[in-house]
Amino acid sequence: MVELEEKKRAIVSFVQGRGEDFSAVAEELYRHPEPGLYEVASSALLAAFLEREGFAVERGCAGLATAFRACWGSDGPVIALIAEMDALPQLGHACGHNIIAAAALGAATALRHLLPEDAGRIVVLGTPAEELGIGKVEMIRQGFFDDVEFAMMVHPSSKRQVIKGFLGLARIRFTFIGKAAHAGAYPEEGVNALDGVIQTFTGINALRQQLRQDVRVHGIITEGGSAPNIIPGRAACYFYVRAADLDMLEKVKARVVACAEGAATASGCRLEVEVDPRQLAPMKINRAFSALYSAQLSLLGLPEVLAPADQNKGSSDIGNVSQLVPTIHPHVPIGEGVRIHSEEFARATISPEGKAAVVEGATALALTALELIAVPEQREAVRLDFRS
């Protein structure tokens, strides 16, 4: 136990001493933001950094040009540190993936320099296109998480919070095929595809009265016609369906499709349904793993905000990882009241608070990984929670 405490102090000192290096990575990503699947320079920056620190890097993983896997260690538990890297169109790093990546690099580097090679296997997974729900889903599908025993990442936020849930997400596109006609001269010859779209929205709005509180259904019209005097022969809409568990997600998804099918019948249109196969899973909360991370925050003297985990939930492909292996996704603070997906949030990632968040995330992740490696009872507690 004395040796473990000494190593913890060494990790804190190491990350603080290299903090400028790690926050410089976050700033470089901020200065050159790249959207999902186009993170060419971002991925190269992260991979090269890890290679210089002694990691073996495999690029172009899972058929994704910007995905990578960086490995170090010869034996022991396999711990994955997840580095997201994609930015938002127009807004840049308004979701803070630059901080996520920098913290993962910082934690991995600390463990690489302070642990013997046979203590544990540290894997940094560069997962592109989180905003598109692609990177982790494809890397899971092609086996890049098969040998991972524990997965970790941090996410910037307006507050420090260890447990944060995510909703599962299904994405559905509906295309209605009718018959175009002159709306003034020959309306009786037309079949209005836009009517199918509008009735789909009406049906879903009526459905909401019977939906559980955690369910969300929201959509947009992506194609609605070209001119008011032409009855649209083709119209389309795009919906997201979210729920806190997979069973409910499937049930609601089926009812949303039924709304569109009914609208097609009522409007006389032919309906085409396209369900995105990359469905996002809800976050499987692991309280033992979260408690271990919380203990590191206490060690660092950083108070956690005990906010409800089920408020203000979005969706992320980290949920798919959490269904496969024990996973945590705690939040590090970059500014009180700063709202995600805003220009203000992007600027906050390179503020003094943003730089402090990189150091906090890297330190807490490294300390958590260290304790998992050093204390078999902690590993078993986390696994037991995952199996329950």
Side-chain angles (χ1 to χ4, degrees), residues 37 59 82 85 88 93 97 112 115 123 128 142 147 152 164 171 200 204 288 311 317 323 331 350 362:
L37 301 180
R59 294 170 169 82
I82 294 174
M85 65 189 85
L88 290 159
H93 277 288
H97 294 185
R112 154 74 180 89
L115 288 179
V123 180
Q142 298 200 34
D147 62 346
M152 298 188 289
K164 182 68 176 177
R171 293 167 286 205
T200 299
I204 290 170
Q311 287 186 356
D317 55 8
Q323 299 289 334
H331 287 195
I350 59 166

Side-chain angles (χ1 to χ4, degrees), residues 21-209:
D21 294 343
F22 307 140
S23 60
V25 170
E27 183 158 356
E28 180 67 15
L29 294 175
Y30 169 85
R31 300 294 177 197
H32 302 94
E34 297 172 307
L37 301 180
Y38 295 93
E39 315 96 334
V40 177
S42 303
S43 177
L45 171 71
L46 303 177
F49 186 102
L50 289 163
E51 279 182 329
R52 289 195 300 271
E53 297 296 337
F55 284 78
V57 179
E58 177 185 357
R59 294 170 169 82
C61 299
L64 303 172
T66 54
F68 67 82
R69 175 170 58 185
C71 302
W72 175 83
S74 61
D75 199 5
V78 181
I79 299 175
L81 295 158
I82 294 174
E84 296 176 2
M85 65 189 85
D86 56 316
L88 290 159
Q90 286 82 54
L91 289 175
H93 277 288
C95 199
H97 294 185
N98 53 333
I99 286 182
I100 295 170
L105 264 60
T109 301
L111 294 165
R112 154 74 180 89
H113 285 277
L114 297 173
L115 288 179
E117 189 174 1
D118 60 356
R121 287 169 287 174
I122 307 303
V123 180
V124 181
L125 292 173
T127 60
E130 185 276 335
E131 296 293 344
L132 303 177
I134 291 177
K136 299 179 195 67
V137 175
E138 285 302 309
M139 294 180 81
I140 288 170
R141 190 174 68 83
Q142 298 200 34
F144 284 88
F145 281 87
D146 285 357
D147 62 346
V148 171
E149 296 178 62
F150 308 94
M152 298 188 289
M153 62 177 287
V154 293
H155 199 295
S157 177
S158 60
K159 55 184 174 289
R160 182 179 297 110
Q161 188 174 0
V162 175
I163 297 178
K164 182 68 176 177
F166 286 103
L167 299 172
L169 170 64
R171 293 167 286 205
I172 314 172
R173 294 183 184 272
F174 299 116
T175 302
F176 291 82
I177 309 299
K179 181 182 178 183
H182 193 290
Y186 305 104
E188 72 280 3
E189 295 184 8
V191 178
N192 196 322
L194 183 57
D195 282 348
V197 167
I198 291 171
Q199 289 183 58
T200 299
F201 275 86
T202 301
I204 290 170
N205 286 339
L207 173 63
R208 284 194 176 94
Q209 183 181 3

